[in-house]
């Protein structure tokens, strides 16, 4: 508060003194002055003018004196009073003191004393008020906190080791969690109130007490049969404060989610993700052990679509369940039978003795299906096309192996189905040639036919534009805009993704660097770029990224790389090192399509990442309760791990409202905007920051 803006009410019955005071105050720079000559006028002005401070003469002519007037003012209003007095009579001073004034000034008033007393009073009043407010807020928080809170005094043994804890304070949430009341707890020992928890208290809180650090751990289930996150810290030596967050519900959903992400709902077989994980393990075992043989069978039902359409979907589902049971019959307990697609299954055979054994299994399966399946009284004959990959082969990635099994399966299909084919490398070459896409992509690179399109990402709480995701497009010679889904998988396979990905990275960073300079200025927009597994697994990936930053001049914090869960889980150790490298460069990292891969939620904590992007699939189906819970869980999980969340694929206002209600920070989707050209994005940025003039400064 500066001096001109400080409104002071002078209460003084002698006009001459009043004038003199006004002169001195004005000389000090206090120009917003009001004056009153008696108690009633003072009270009325205090109410109507709301001064910041009252200078109050103690002796007033007429009825009430200054002290009574001050009391009257303060019983209605929160305004500090400073007394002016020529009287140092003891009794008067005592009475004045009781009215808790903010200062006394002796008459005749001396300029410096007046100045310092006023400033002191204003400061003290402000400080008092802040304190009162924060106490109130704290009190409220404490009572309304959803998390249980308890404050303990430590009881120490002679050696200074904690042996028990006395409850000093608990909040309502704590009472609810433990099922005990405040009276049951406060003043009593923990071991007495919550028997059976000794090890927990003594060990963990002993640690806290010694180090005065906070700890966080889970699983306080012994007594309450619940899961908690517990944070403990020691605010004062000898005391321990504990905050319990009930995560039982979340735990349950996580388990469900884990099952869901690993298993196919219809057949309850492992899904593609889990299958890939098992294949990867087999690959790794094959590398460690000599003579370790395994095989992967990829099975696709011939003409399933026809069967499905003629039977109807319910019967189709039943059929798939029967198929899965039949396939499982041919597998031993070490093997994995998985449903990897609609009518696609994969079988991983482990520890086989000869490659012929795998061929034998394929034959047996085909024979098994010679007997028709009986559905609703109808006899259904099914045939399969089967592709086989025999290990050990030199694969690093499970996907690649599964893909090759698919290629072999397609060979079988091309030759009329109801047969199996063993994968041979020449098939890959032929397939590639057949697709001919690879060379097209090469050309496209040379002819600079790729473009990036940008999809805005918004902060859901404020509606502010937070940044963009850069999405590659191929504008083919015929002018058709080809979406990435149609060429990225092929580019992945041929390795061309490295060049395409590098181009996208450079293009996106150069663009952002340009915006930094002359478009969004200080607005902290981010640019998210998708990385493919091949890019990320380059041994010199970090060096490349560092060069990218240096060459494009993009501020590292504005660049966000998106990697998928699968990429993270495939090789956790080297991934952690790379993620650390990225962090050191100042980049941020998002996990894309979260919820669809097979990341173990527990693992996630170890990765230095910043953001989870909830997969579109969950957002789309949020009106299904299960999906809503999953989204909620992901958001909670992210927040517990200190990550923020971007929801993908928001298409409706309802989805937006739900997500905002879940405290999901950011969103992206057709509701806001489809991916757009760079020019359109620039216009969007300009308009956005132009129309939000009172947004934080810095925009151009
Ligand atoms: P993604 O990273 O999950 O990107 C989001 C995709 O969802 C984009 O598809 C976007 O257009 C689409 N989308 C956004 N909002 C909505 C919505 O509200 N509803 C629906 N139905 N869809 C929405 P797009 O551009 O076809 O990209 C598909 C995938 O291709 C990306 O998925 C990403 O995995 C990959 N990709 C795109 N660009 C690149 C790239 O430069 N490098 C690599 N390695 N992959 C890329
Ligand atoms: Mg993405
Ligand atoms: Mg995504």
């Amino acid at each position: 508060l500066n001096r001109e803006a400080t409104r002071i009410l002078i209460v003084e019955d002698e006009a001459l003194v009043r004038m003199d005071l006004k002169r001195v105050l004005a000389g000090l720079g206090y120009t917003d002055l009001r004056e009153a000559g008696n108690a009633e006028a003072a009270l009325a002005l205090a109410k109507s003018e709301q001064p910041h401070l009252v200078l109050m003469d103690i002796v007033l002519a007429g009825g009430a004196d200054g002290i009574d007037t001050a009391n009257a003012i303060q019983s209605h209003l929160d305004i500090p009073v400073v007394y002016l007095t020529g009287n140092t009579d003891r009794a008067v001073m005592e009475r004045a003191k009781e009215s808790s004034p903010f200062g006394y000034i002796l008459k005749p008033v001396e300029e410096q004393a007046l100045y310092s007393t006023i400033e002191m009073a204003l400061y003290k009043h402000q400080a008092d008020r802040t304190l009162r407010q924060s106490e109130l807020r704290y009190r409220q928080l404490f009572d309304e906190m959803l998390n249980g809170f308890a404050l303990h005094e430590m009881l120490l043994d002679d050696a200074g080791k904690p042996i028990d804890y006395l409850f000093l304070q608990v909040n309502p949430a704590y009472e609810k969690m433990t099922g005990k009341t405040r009276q049951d707890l406060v003043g009593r020992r923990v071991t007495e109130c919550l028997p059976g928890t000794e090890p927990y208290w003594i060990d963990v809180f002993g640690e806290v007490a010694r180090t005065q650090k906070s700890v966080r751990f889970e699983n306080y289930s012994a007594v309450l049969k619940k899961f908690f996150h517990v944070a403990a810290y020691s605010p004062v030596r000898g005391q321990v404060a504990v905050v319990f967050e009930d995560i039982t519900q979340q735990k349950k959903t996580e388990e469900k989610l884990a099952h869901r992400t690993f298993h196919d709902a219809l057949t309850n077989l492992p899904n593609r993700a889990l299958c890939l994980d098992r294949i990867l393990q087999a690959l790794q075992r094959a590398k460690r052990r000599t003579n370790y043989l395994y095989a992967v069978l990829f099975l696709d039902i011939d003409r399933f679509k026809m069967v499905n359409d003629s039977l109807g979907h319910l019967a189709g589902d039943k059929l798939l369940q029967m198929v899965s049971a039949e396939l499982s019959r041919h597998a031993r307990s070490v093997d994995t039978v998985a449903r990897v697609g609609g009518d696609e299954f994969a079988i991983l055979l482990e520890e086989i003795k000869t490659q012929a054994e795998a061929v034998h299994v394929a034959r047996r399966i085909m024979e098994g299906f010679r007997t028709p399946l009986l559905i609703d009284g109808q006899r259904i004959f099914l045939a399969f096309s089967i592709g086989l990959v025999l290990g050990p082969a030199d694969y690093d990635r499970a996907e690649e192996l599964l893909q090759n099994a698919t290629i072999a399966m397609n060979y079988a299909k091309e030759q009329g189905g109801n047969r199996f084919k063993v994968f041979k490398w020449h098939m890959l070459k032929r397939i590639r040639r057949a697709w001919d896409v690879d060379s097209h992509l090469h050309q496209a690179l040379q002819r600079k036919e790729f473009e990036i399109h940008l999809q805005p990402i918004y902060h859901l709480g404020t509606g502010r534009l937070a940044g963009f995701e850069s999405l590659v497009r191929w504008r083919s010679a015929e002018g058709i805009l080809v979406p990435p889904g149609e060429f990225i998988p092929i580019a992945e396979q041929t390795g061309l993704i490295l060049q395409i990905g590098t181009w996208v990275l450079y293009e996106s960073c150069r663009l952002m660097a340009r915006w930094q300079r002359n478009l969004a200025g200080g607005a902290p927009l981010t640019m998210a770029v998708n990385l493919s597994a091949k890019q990320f697994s380059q041994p010199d990936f970090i060096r490349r990224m560092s060069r990218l930053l240096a060459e494009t001049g993009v501020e590292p914090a504005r660049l966000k790389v998106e990697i998928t869960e699968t990429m993270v889980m495939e090789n956790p150790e080297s991934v952690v090192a790379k993620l650390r490298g990225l962090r050191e460069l100042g980049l941020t990292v998002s996990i894309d399509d979260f919820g669809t891969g097979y990341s173990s939620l527990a693992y996630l904590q170890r990765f230095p990442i910043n953001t989870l992007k909830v997969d579109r699939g969950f957002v789309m189906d949020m009106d299904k309760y299960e999906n809503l819970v999953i989204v909620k869980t992901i958001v909670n999980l992210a927040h517990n791990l200190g990550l923020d969340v971007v929801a993908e694929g928001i298409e409706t206002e309802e989805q937006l409202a739900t997500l905002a209600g879940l405290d999901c920070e950011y969103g992206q989707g057709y509701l806001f905007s489809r991916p757009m050209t760079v020019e359109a994005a620039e216009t969007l940025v300009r308009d956005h920051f132009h129309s939000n003039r009172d947004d934080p400064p810095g925009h151009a």
Side-chain angles (χ1 to χ4, degrees):
L1 198 62
N2 59 27
R3 273 176 259 170
E4 302 97 78
T6 307
R7 176 171 298 171
I8 298 178
L9 171 61
I10 304 167
V11 186
E12 166 63 63
D13 54 351
E14 287 176 58
L16 271 179
V17 181
R18 231 160 45 217
M19 256 169 63
D20 187 45
L21 261 171
K22 272 171 71 178
R23 188 185 47 76
V24 177
L25 285 168
L28 287 168
Y30 302 106
T31 47
D32 190 2
L33 303 172
R34 300 288 186 276
E35 45 189 309
N38 58 48
E40 294 85 69
L43 204 54
L45 279 176
K47 278 186 190 152
S48 66
E49 303 291 297
Q50 300 273 334
H52 298 102
L53 182 114
V54 179
L55 282 177
M56 177 74 72
D57 185 16
I58 289 189
V59 186
L60 292 178
D65 71 356
I67 299 174
D68 292 334
T69 312
N71 282 331
I73 289 177
Q74 288 182 329
S75 69
H76 297 291
L77 301 160
D78 185 19
I79 303 173
V81 175
V82 169
Y83 287 119
L84 293 168
T85 174
N87 185 337
T88 47
D89 175 45
R90 233 204 154 97
V92 175
M93 290 303 273
E94 275 312 310
R95 264 186 64 223
K97 224 168 77 213
E98 273 164 26
S99 68
S100 41
F102 280 77
Y104 302 91
I105 300 172
L106 286 181
K107 290 203 266 193
V109 174
E110 198 226 314
E111 193 175 307
Q112 268 316 310
L114 182 62
Y115 174 63
S116 53
T117 310
I118 290 176
E119 289 299 312
M120 230 16 202
L122 288 170
Y123 171 76
K124 199 165 150 260
H125 180 250
Q126 188 54 45
D128 277 6
R129 179 187 237 156
T130 314
L131 185 68
R132 252 178 294 141
Q133 278 170 350
S134 71
E135 267 168 10
L136 197 71
R137 213 174 301 135
Y138 172 76
R139 192 73 237 168
Q140 243 175 7
L141 255 173
F142 184 74
D143 283 343
E144 288 170 10
M145 222 160 71
L146 290 176
N147 294 340
F149 177 94
L151 185 66
H152 299 282
E153 187 184 318
M154 289 189 280
L155 303 176
L156 307 173
D157 67 8
D158 293 340
K161 250 186 71 186
I163 43 173
D164 209 340
Y165 296 85
L166 225 51
F167 280 102
L168 295 180
Q169 232 178 20
V170 297
N171 73 345
Y174 192 93
E175 295 178 292
K176 214 167 132 218
M177 280 179 186
T178 52
K180 312 233 170 195
T181 66
R182 210 168 285 222
Q183 289 73 35
D184 291 340
L185 299 170
V186 171
R188 295 176 57 193
R189 292 162 171 243
V190 165
T191 49
E192 179 189 350
C193 302
L194 303 171
T197 60
E198 287 84 347
Y200 164 81
W201 296 96
I202 308 300
D203 286 359
V204 180
F205 294 167
E207 180 76 20
V208 175
R210 267 197 306 282
T211 57
Q212 299 234 327
K213 269 205 203 120
S214 59
V215 292
R216 212 173 156 80
F217 58 98
E218 245 175 54
N219 221 352
Y220 176 44
S221 54
V223 178
L224 305 172
K225 303 253 181 299
K226 285 196 162 184
F227 290 97
F228 291 99
H229 261 309
V230 184
Y233 57 99
S234 175
V236 192
R237 191 167 280 289
Q239 288 190 0
V240 177
V242 232
V243 180
F244 287 84
E245 183 185 345
D246 189 340
I247 55 162
T248 314
Q249 200 46 43
Q250 182 185 332
K251 259 281 204 275
K252 279 194 195 139
T253 350
E254 268 178 31
E255 272 159 28
K256 263 216 217 132
L257 181 58
H259 186 83
R260 189 194 144 106
T261 37
F262 283 119
H263 293 268
D264 165 50
L266 178 66
T267 59
N268 212 25
L269 289 179
N271 63 8
R272 185 182 198 94
L274 182 53
C275 178
L276 285 169
D277 186 42
R278 299 259 168 91
I279 293 176
L280 184 69
Q281 284 169 23
L283 295 182
Q284 285 163 349
R285 255 194 302 278
K287 287 204 168 113
R288 282 196 303 271
R289 289 200 241 152
T290 47
N291 295 330
Y292 180 79
L293 290 185
Y294 62 86
V296 173
L297 277 63
F298 191 98
L299 307 96
D300 186 286
I301 304 176
D302 293 336
R303 288 172 289 278
F304 178 71
K305 199 176 157 348
M306 244 172 58
V307 180
N308 200 30
D309 289 349
S310 65
L311 282 176
H313 282 275
L314 271 181
D317 283 355
K318 216 151 136 202
L319 191 70
L320 288 169
Q321 285 166 341
M322 292 172 83
V323 167
S324 75
E326 169 66 16
L327 291 178
S328 303
R329 240 172 30 84
H330 295 281
R332 299 152 305 158
S333 62
V334 292
D335 301 333
T336 301
V337 179
R339 178 164 179 231
V340 295
D343 63 338
E344 296 168 345
F345 296 84
I347 304 180
L348 167 66
L349 301 172
E350 301 221 45
E351 317 236 6
I352 51 178
K353 291 189 195 65
T354 61
Q355 298 194 331
E357 209 178 312
V359 173
H360 189 65
V361 173
R363 279 220 177 86
R364 268 206 336 256
I365 290 175
M366 288 174 42
E367 270 157 31
F369 280 99
R370 297 244 162 82
T371 330
L373 297 170
L374 217 64
I375 296 223
D376 300 338
Q378 282 195 68
R379 285 148 42 99
I380 311 286
F381 286 94
L382 283 187
F384 281 85
S385 297
I386 305 178
L388 253 93
V389 172
L390 301 173
D394 197 16
Y395 289 103
D396 286 319
R397 304 187 44 223
E399 269 104 347
E400 226 174 304
L401 194 153
L402 203 59
Q403 220 157 48
N404 289 349
T406 316
I407 287 169
M409 181 279 291
N410 277 317
Y411 253 77
K413 202 148 266 198
E414 263 173 44
Q415 297 182 3
N418 194 20
R419 69 193 66 218
F420 69 86
K421 284 279 161 204
V422 177
F423 174 77
K424 302 273 161 52
W425 289 99
H426 72 80
M427 290 179 177
L428 193 59
K429 287 215 190 76
R430 216 206 71 181
I431 293 264
R432 257 199 230 166
R433 219 176 307 123
W435 283 338
D436 201 25
V437 178
D438 186 30
S439 64
H440 268 111
L441 288 176
H442 264 294
Q443 272 183 9
L445 260 174
Q446 276 159 4
R447 295 188 193 156
K448 304 200 187 330
E449 288 177 351
F450 290 110
E451 357 183 302
I452 54 172
H453 281 205
L454 301 170
Q455 188 177 31
I457 299 175
Y458 288 91
H459 187 262
L460 298 184
T462 60
R464 273 178 58 85
L465 180 64
F468 291 89
E469 175 172 6
S470 165
L471 296 157
V472 70
R473 301 284 182 265
W474 172 17
R475 194 175 292 278
S476 73
E478 302 84 53
I480 300 166
L481 206 60
V482 186
E486 289 178 25
F487 60 88
I488 293 273
I490 297 164
E492 293 258 10
Q493 212 175 37
T494 65
L496 206 60
I497 188 68
L498 283 181
Q499 278 139 286
I500 298 176
T502 306
W503 181 84
V504 172
L505 268 172
Y506 269 84
E507 197 63 15
S508 310
C509 287
R510 268 198 293 269
L511 179 63
M512 187 38 100
R514 205 171 77 218
W515 285 6
Q516 251 161 240
R517 288 193 302 273
N518 51 31
L519 186 60
L525 291 179
T526 56
M527 179 69 80
V529 182
N530 295 284
L531 288 188
S532 92
K534 282 228 171 60
Q535 274 174 288
F536 190 65
S537 61
Q538 290 167 295
D540 60 347
F541 173 69
I542 296 296
R543 242 195 27 237
R544 282 163 179 274
M545 292 302 281
S546 146
R547 203 184 313 141
L548 168 83
L549 295 176
E551 284 176 11
T552 59
V554 70
E555 284 166 23
R558 291 173 181 248
L559 178 59
K560 210 162 182 134
V561 297
E562 297 195 355
I563 58 179
T564 62
E565 299 179 83
T566 323
M567 282 157 71
V568 174
M569 298 313 294
E570 240 163 36
N571 199 346
E573 294 317 315
S574 74
V575 166
V576 168
K578 283 209 175 115
L579 292 176
R580 285 217 187 93
L582 288 179
R583 175 160 286 188
E584 274 158 28
L585 290 179
L587 306 190
T588 50
V589 178
S590 304
I591 303 291
D592 205 353
D593 305 337
F594 188 78
T596 57
Y598 55 101
S599 64
S600 125
L601 298 171
Y603 243 76
L604 217 56
Q605 314 202 29
R606 301 182 29 213
F607 296 114
I609 52 178
N610 309 82
T611 305
L612 294 185
K613 290 190 83 169
V614 183
D615 187 63
R616 192 163 76 228
F618 297 119
V619 173
M620 217 156 51
D621 284 345
M622 257 183 335
D623 45 349
K624 272 196 214 130
Y625 181 69
E626 191 194 19
N627 276 328
L628 179 66
V629 175
I630 286 173
V631 173
K632 214 185 253 179
T633 306
I634 294 177
V635 174
N636 278 341
L637 170 83
H639 290 172
N640 276 333
L641 297 174
L643 311 174
D644 50 33
V645 183
V646 182
E648 296 182 322
I650 304 180
E651 293 186 356
T652 66
E653 292 285 351
E654 281 136 56
Q655 291 164 351
L656 171 62
T658 307
L659 289 161
L662 293 178
D663 279 336
C664 171
E665 283 87 357
Y666 301 100
Q668 167 183 5
Y670 291 172
L671 176 66
F672 305 114
S673 163
R674 298 200 171 227
M676 53 176 90
T677 61
V678 168
E679 295 75 57
E682 290 183 341
T683 308
L684 174 75
V685 172
R686 244 182 246 116
D687 289 352
H688 183 82
F689 288 107
H690 194 72
S691 59
N692 293 305
R693 283 209 167 277
D694 40 14
D695 278 342
H699 52 275

